[in-house]
């Protein structure tokens, strides 16, 4: 009796220690996964912020250059032609360029709009700001009259230190979002989110949020409002919050983790947040092989082509003088153009065709390739000398295409730097044509993406490590379940009380039912999905062996093509264990033969029905399943209604048939 009491004390103690250790390991792995993921989200937010800042810095240099030209300030024909040329070269990124007087009236606009000339726009907040400060101003995002969201960027026009007006461009916000935000995607639901300094949602994947104040969209979510307050203050950091919306879908409330970083725009700032549901961050712990996109940079090709038309004149001498003046202006403009390119982080180049000689290489070549710009100009074959051996054939094919005028838009290749280290280069190209539409050269940008690729590889390695840890967890769970089952078996063999033996056998079957789940997952690549057919078949065989019926009763499982997550497969197994055990005990007395059918069918409405039926003697008349004192039936009702959120029905014709209906969780 003393030994039995000790064993009764030992079993709960072992279970308690096991649960504690399992929970501790899970929480540690979970926190490490979230911390690593937040670090990657912060990288994405920083890179997007730097891309947007670089975009506005590039436009600042270009507009400042134009604003320094007297012809532009005076708004004469030459100045208007320069604005038209600038617009033609940048029409992919801007929708209009406007010259505004010191009084806030429109003097000239490209594309030209006669109705707009003379319009007073001094009431607009960003126009008032530049009139007051005489410094570059970026407006808030607003709805343009053409029906799209836009940002206005103005620089002052100064002559002898006196404010003459401003020069502004209209940038479609969708263009910025397309290039720097829309492709920030982590897993199925991770996305970017942008708010302004004043709390306006500039970019949000949830329909109807863009353009609204944050206080309107987060009044039911104080945690999101708190994070937004930190973002509006220009801070960076991480946060977590609970939300029931992801993209355009309304889902059950879930915890989300976000990393946010400010975008410094001079007179104002925006803030970018990259957020992902916790379920997706932890999906690798369930076997999903998520390949996360760490960083996607959208390359913007910088290509400015100046078009000049020969001026027809009856006076040949005057025409020649005008031609020379145009050539001089072109040289000055080209110099300014190169100054702009020198300010970029990417290496900008121009190559003459068909000889493959570099006509220009920016100073950033030293940072991108490790070789000075002069080395590229003096040695046209330098790229072929430093190309990595693994890319020799690939690059030779691309080089042949370039020389023959077939210009690939982008491609990647690896070089060996002067320090002996490998560098991965992403190159974008644009063809240059002469007046006869013949290709005469190539312009483009080269970017060192070595660190970007290394970060991506680190993420893949981290995901693989988490998957290995989860395999180990399932293995340990299975082994601990086996220990518990063995303890129950020892306990069962130590008593002669039949009722005690039956109770211990039932408990042992329940433990084995849960253990089978972890054993199945340990041998599968997908740790979140269970093959129900195999699982129930093995469960039935295990239970049948425990009753030694000499083949009198057969168990037939019909659950082909049915796969479910662990969250539902485990309750289904426990229900099947209880009802199969109950049938083996009571449905076939006195040596009767028969059959037990276990059938699981999915339906088109995303529901499923579990049927467990036998052709035994049936349940006695007057039996009330809701008032039964059987622990097994109480477990069946509790699991079906509470864990599966389903319904249960009993039919007594031609034996006994249990029907459990429930909704299948989305995987």
């Amino acid at each position: 009796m003393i030994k039995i009491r000790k064993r009764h004390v030992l079993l709960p103690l072992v279970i308690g220690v096991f649960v504690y250790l399992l929970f501790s390991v899970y929480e540690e792995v979970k926190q490490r996964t979230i911390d690593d993921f937040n670090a990657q989200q912060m990288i994405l937010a920083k890179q997007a912020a730097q891309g947007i800042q670089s975009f506005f810095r590039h436009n600042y240099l270009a507009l400042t250059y134009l604003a320094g030209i007297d012809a532009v300030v005076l708004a004469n024909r030459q100045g208007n032609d320069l604005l038209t040329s600038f617009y033609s070269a940048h029409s992919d990124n801007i929708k209009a360029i406007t010259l505004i007087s010191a009084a806030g009236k429109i003097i000239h606009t490209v594309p030209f709009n006669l109705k707009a000339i003379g319009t007073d726009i001094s009431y607009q907040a960003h126009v008032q700001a530049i009139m007051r400060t005489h410094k570059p101003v970026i407006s808030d995002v607003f709805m343009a009259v053409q029906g799209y969201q836009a940002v206005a960027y103005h620089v002052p026009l100064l002559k002898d230190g006196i404010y003459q007006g401003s020069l502004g461009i209209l940038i479609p916000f969708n263009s910025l979002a397309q290039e720097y935000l829309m492709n920030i995607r982590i897993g199925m639901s991770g996305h970017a989110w942008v708010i302004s300094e004043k709390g306006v949602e500039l970019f949000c994947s949830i329909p109807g949020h863009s353009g609204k104040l944050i206080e309107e969209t987060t009044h039911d979510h104080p945690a999101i409002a708190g994070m937004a307050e930190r973002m509006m203050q220009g801070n960076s950091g991480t946060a977590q919050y609970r939300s029931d919306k992801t993209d355009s879908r309304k889902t059950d409330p879930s915890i989300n983790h976000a990393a946010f970083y400010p975008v410094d725009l001079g007179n104002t700032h925006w803030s970018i947040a990259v957020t992902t549901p916790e379920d997706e961050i932890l999906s690798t712990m369930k076997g999903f092989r998520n390949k996360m996109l760490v960083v996607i940079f959208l390359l913007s090709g910088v290509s400015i082509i100046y078009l000049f038309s020969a001026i027809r004149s009856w006076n040949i001498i005057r025409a020649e003088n005008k031609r020379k003046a145009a050539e001089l202006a072109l040289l000055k403009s080209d110099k300014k153009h190169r100054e702009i390119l020198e300010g970029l982080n990417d290496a900008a180049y121009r190559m003459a065709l068909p000889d493959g000689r570099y006509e220009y290489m920016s100073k950033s070549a030293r940072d991108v390739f490790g070789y000075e710009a002069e080395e590229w100009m003096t040695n046209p074959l330098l790229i072929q000398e430093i190309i990595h051996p693994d890319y020799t054939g690939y690059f030779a094919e691309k080089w042949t295409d370039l020389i023959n005028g077939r210009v690939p838009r982008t491609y990647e290749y690896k070089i060996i730097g002067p320090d002996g280290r490998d560098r991965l280069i992403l190159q974008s190209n644009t063809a240059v044509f002469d007046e006869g539409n013949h290709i005469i050269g190539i312009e483009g940008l080269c970017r060192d993406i070595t660190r970007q690729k290394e970060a991506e590889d680190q993420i893949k390695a981290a995901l693989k490590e988490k998957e290995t840890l989860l395999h180990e967890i399932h293995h340990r769970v299975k082994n601990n379940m086996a220990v518990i089952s063995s303890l129950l078996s020892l306990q069962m063999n130590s008593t002669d009380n039949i009722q005690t033996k039956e109770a211990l056998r039932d408990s042992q079957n329940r433990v084995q039912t849960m253990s089978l789940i972890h054993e199945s997952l340990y041998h599968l690549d997908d740790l979140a999905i269970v093959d129900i057919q195999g699982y129930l078949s093995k469960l039935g065989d295990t239970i049948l062996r425990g009753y030694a019926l000499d083949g009198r009763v057969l168990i037939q499982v019909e659950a082909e093509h049915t796969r479910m997550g662990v969250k539902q497969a485990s309750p289904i197994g426990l229900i099947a264990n209880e009802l199969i055990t109950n049938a083996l005990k009571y449905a076939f007395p006195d040596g009767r033969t028969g059959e037990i059918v276990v059938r699981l069918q999915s339906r088109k409405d995303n529901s499923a029905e579990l049927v467990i039926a036998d052709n035994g003697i049936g349940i006695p008349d007057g039996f009330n399943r809701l008032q039964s004192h059987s622990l097994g039936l109480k477990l069946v009702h509790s699991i079906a209604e509470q864990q599966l959120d389903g319904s249960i029905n009993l039919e007594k014709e031609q034996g006994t048939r249990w029907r459990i209906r429930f909704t299948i969780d989305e995987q």
Side-chain angles (χ1 to χ4, degrees), residues 1-223:
M1 183 64 68
I2 295 176
K3 291 183 179 180
I4 294 176
R5 289 179 179 176
K6 287 183 178 179
R7 289 173 182 171
H8 277 298
V9 173
L10 179 62
L11 181 60
L13 180 61
V14 171
I15 295 176
V17 171
F18 164 72
V19 171
Y20 173 77
L21 293 176
L22 180 62
F23 180 78
S24 298
V25 171
Y26 173 79
E27 286 297 318
E28 180 181 355
V29 174
K30 173 183 173 182
Q31 191 58 49
R32 284 174 56 190
T33 301
I34 292 174
D35 292 343
D36 291 346
F37 208 89
N38 272 336
Q40 300 305 322
Q41 291 193 135
M42 181 62 75
I43 291 174
L44 292 176
K46 285 183 179 180
Q47 290 175 337
Q50 291 169 359
I52 293 174
Q53 291 174 174
S54 177
F55 172 83
F56 280 103
R57 189 181 306 114
H58 167 75
N59 281 285
Y60 167 77
L61 294 173
L63 290 177
T64 302
Y65 162 64
L66 290 174
I69 299 175
D70 289 342
V72 174
V73 177
L74 297 175
N76 58 28
R77 180 176 179 180
Q78 182 183 359
N80 293 342
D81 287 344
L82 287 173
L83 295 183
T84 301
S85 297
F86 177 83
Y87 173 77
S88 298
H90 294 80
S91 58
D92 288 344
N93 294 323
I94 66 175
K95 290 298 182 181
I97 180 167
T98 305
L99 190 63
I100 301 171
S101 70
K105 293 184 178 181
I106 295 176
I107 301 174
H108 182 68
T109 180
V110 180
F112 183 72
N113 184 351
L114 183 60
K115 294 181 179 180
I117 304 303
T119 301
D120 188 350
I121 59 171
S122 60
Y123 63 90
Q124 296 181 359
H126 58 278
V127 177
Q128 292 178 351
I130 196 169
M131 292 173 64
R132 182 177 63 257
T133 65
H134 299 172
K135 295 181 179 179
V137 170
I138 297 176
S139 74
D140 287 334
V141 175
F142 61 92
M143 183 62 68
V145 296
Q146 294 86 347
Y148 56 83
Q149 288 189 315
V151 177
Y153 187 26
H154 284 246
V155 299
L157 297 175
L158 302 173
K159 186 174 179 61
D160 299 329
I162 300 175
Y163 178 70
Q164 303 294 323
S166 64
L167 181 64
I169 56 175
L170 187 65
I171 305 168
F173 187 78
N174 184 61
S175 174
L176 283 175
Q178 183 71 34
E179 186 165 359
Y180 298 105
L181 301 173
M182 288 185 179
N183 285 294
I184 296 180
R185 197 78 179 173
I186 304 179
M188 295 295 295
S189 306
H191 60 278
W193 179 50
V194 183
I195 64 174
S196 71
E197 181 182 10
K198 297 180 180 179
V200 177
E201 290 195 54
L202 306 180
F203 176 80
C204 183
S205 61
I206 301 176
H209 277 219
S210 296
K212 290 186 178 180
L213 287 172
I214 194 68
E215 61 187 23
E216 298 179 38
T217 59
T218 62
H219 58 276
D220 294 331
H221 302 86

Side-chain angles (χ1 to χ4, degrees), residues 36-37 39-45 47-48 180-192 274-276 280 284 289-298 412 452-460 463:
D36 291 346
F37 208 89
Q40 300 305 322
Q41 291 193 135
M42 181 62 75
I43 291 174
L44 292 176
Q47 290 175 337
Y180 298 105
L181 301 173
M182 288 185 179
N183 285 294
I184 296 180
R185 197 78 179 173
I186 304 179
M188 295 295 295
S189 306
H191 60 278
V274 179
T275 178
T276 304
E280 291 193 16
T284 54
R289 297 178 177 179
N290 295 351
K291 292 183 179 179
M292 304 177 60
L293 300 176
V294 179
V295 179
I296 300 177
F297 280 98
L298 296 177
E412 295 179 5
Q452 173 184 333
K453 289 295 183 182
E454 289 175 350
E456 183 177 345
D457 291 340
Q458 290 174 0
I459 292 176
K460 291 178 180 178
L463 294 178

Side-chain angles (χ1 to χ4, degrees), residues 54-55 58 93 179-180 297-304 337-338 340-351 358 360-365 368-369 376 383 395 402 407-413 424-432 442-449:
S54 177
F55 172 83
H58 167 75
N93 294 323
E179 186 165 359
Y180 298 105
F297 280 98
L298 296 177
L299 301 176
S300 57
V302 180
S303 175
I304 304 175
H337 170 60
R338 294 194 178 190
I340 294 173
L341 292 178
E342 294 296 340
L344 299 178
N345 292 327
D346 298 341
Y349 76 93
R350 181 185 177 103
M351 177 190 294
Y358 287 99
Y360 172 74
M361 178 67 75
S362 67
K363 294 181 180 179
S364 298
V368 175
F369 297 100
W376 292 92
I383 185 62
F395 187 78
L402 289 175
V407 182
R409 183 169 179 80
T410 60
Y411 59 91
E412 295 179 5
Y413 55 89
L424 190 60
I425 306 299
L426 176 62
Q427 181 168 326
S428 62
N429 311 288
T430 301
V432 180
I442 301 170
E443 292 181 346
L445 297 174
C446 298
R447 175 174 297 175
D448 183 355
I449 59 171

Side-chain angles (χ1 to χ4, degrees), residues 487-503:
L487 291 174
L488 289 172
S489 180
L490 291 173
Q491 187 72 51
M492 187 167 54
N493 293 332
S494 67
T495 181
D496 295 328
N497 188 297
I498 296 177
Q499 292 182 344
T500 301
K501 282 181 177 287
E502 288 295 326

Side-chain angles (χ1 to χ4, degrees), residues 315-535:
N315 193 322
I316 298 178
I317 297 177
R318 184 178 179 184
E320 182 65 16
N321 291 336
K322 286 185 178 181
R323 185 185 65 81
K324 291 181 178 180
E327 289 179 353
L328 181 59
L330 178 60
L331 290 175
K332 293 181 179 180
S333 178
D334 185 62
K335 180 181 178 182
K336 289 294 184 180
H337 170 60
R338 294 194 178 190
E339 290 176 354
I340 294 173
L341 292 178
E342 294 296 340
L344 299 178
N345 292 327
D346 298 341
Y349 76 93
R350 181 185 177 103
M351 177 190 294
L353 294 179
D355 56 358
R357 176 178 50 83
Y358 287 99
E359 295 181 340
Y360 172 74
M361 178 67 75
S362 67
K363 294 181 180 179
S364 298
R366 177 179 53 201
D367 298 326
V368 175
F369 297 100
Y371 296 90
E372 299 291 344
E374 291 76 11
E375 297 181 70
W376 292 92
M377 300 291 288
T378 57
N379 185 4
L381 299 180
L382 178 59
I383 185 62
Q384 300 182 38
E385 296 172 0
I386 65 175
I387 195 71
H388 194 279
D390 293 344
Y391 284 78
T392 302
Y394 171 78
F395 187 78
E397 178 183 347
K398 296 299 180 183
W399 183 263
T400 302
D401 288 342
L402 289 175
I403 297 300
N404 293 326
R406 297 187 297 271
V407 182
R409 183 169 179 80
T410 60
Y411 59 91
E412 295 179 5
Y413 55 89
K414 188 181 291 184
I415 66 167
I416 301 176
D419 55 0
R421 297 183 179 180
D422 295 347
R423 298 190 184 193
L424 190 60
I425 306 299
L426 176 62
Q427 181 168 326
S428 62
N429 311 288
T430 301
V432 180
F433 300 90
D434 61 12
E435 296 179 355
N437 202 32
H438 300 110
I439 186 168
I440 60 173
I442 301 170
E443 292 181 346
L445 297 174
C446 298
R447 175 174 297 175
D448 183 355
I449 59 171
T450 306
R451 292 185 179 178
Q452 173 184 333
K453 289 295 183 182
E454 289 175 350
E456 183 177 345
D457 291 340
Q458 290 174 0
I459 292 176
K460 291 178 180 178
L463 294 178
K464 184 63 178 178
E465 179 185 354
K466 303 308 180 296
E467 183 177 340
T468 302
L469 288 174
L470 190 56
H471 267 291
E472 180 62 21
I473 289 174
H474 283 302
H475 181 59
R476 293 188 182 184
V477 169
K478 178 178 71 68
N479 290 343
N480 281 280
M481 289 289 187
V483 171
I484 295 172
S485 178
S486 299
L487 291 174
L488 289 172
S489 180
L490 291 173
Q491 187 72 51
M492 187 167 54
N493 293 332
S494 67
T495 181
D496 295 328
N497 188 297
I498 296 177
Q499 292 182 344
T500 301
K501 282 181 177 287
E502 288 295 326
L504 290 173
R505 179 186 288 112
D506 291 345
S507 297
Q508 187 180 37
N509 287 341
R510 292 169 186 138
V511 171
Q512 290 175 345
T513 300
M514 293 183 287
S515 177
L516 282 176
I517 284 286
H518 295 280
E519 182 178 358
S520 300
L521 291 175
Y522 179 69
H523 295 289
L524 294 175
D525 291 333
D526 192 340
L527 301 180
I529 301 298
V530 177
D531 177 11
I532 297 297
Q533 173 74 27
Y535 171 52

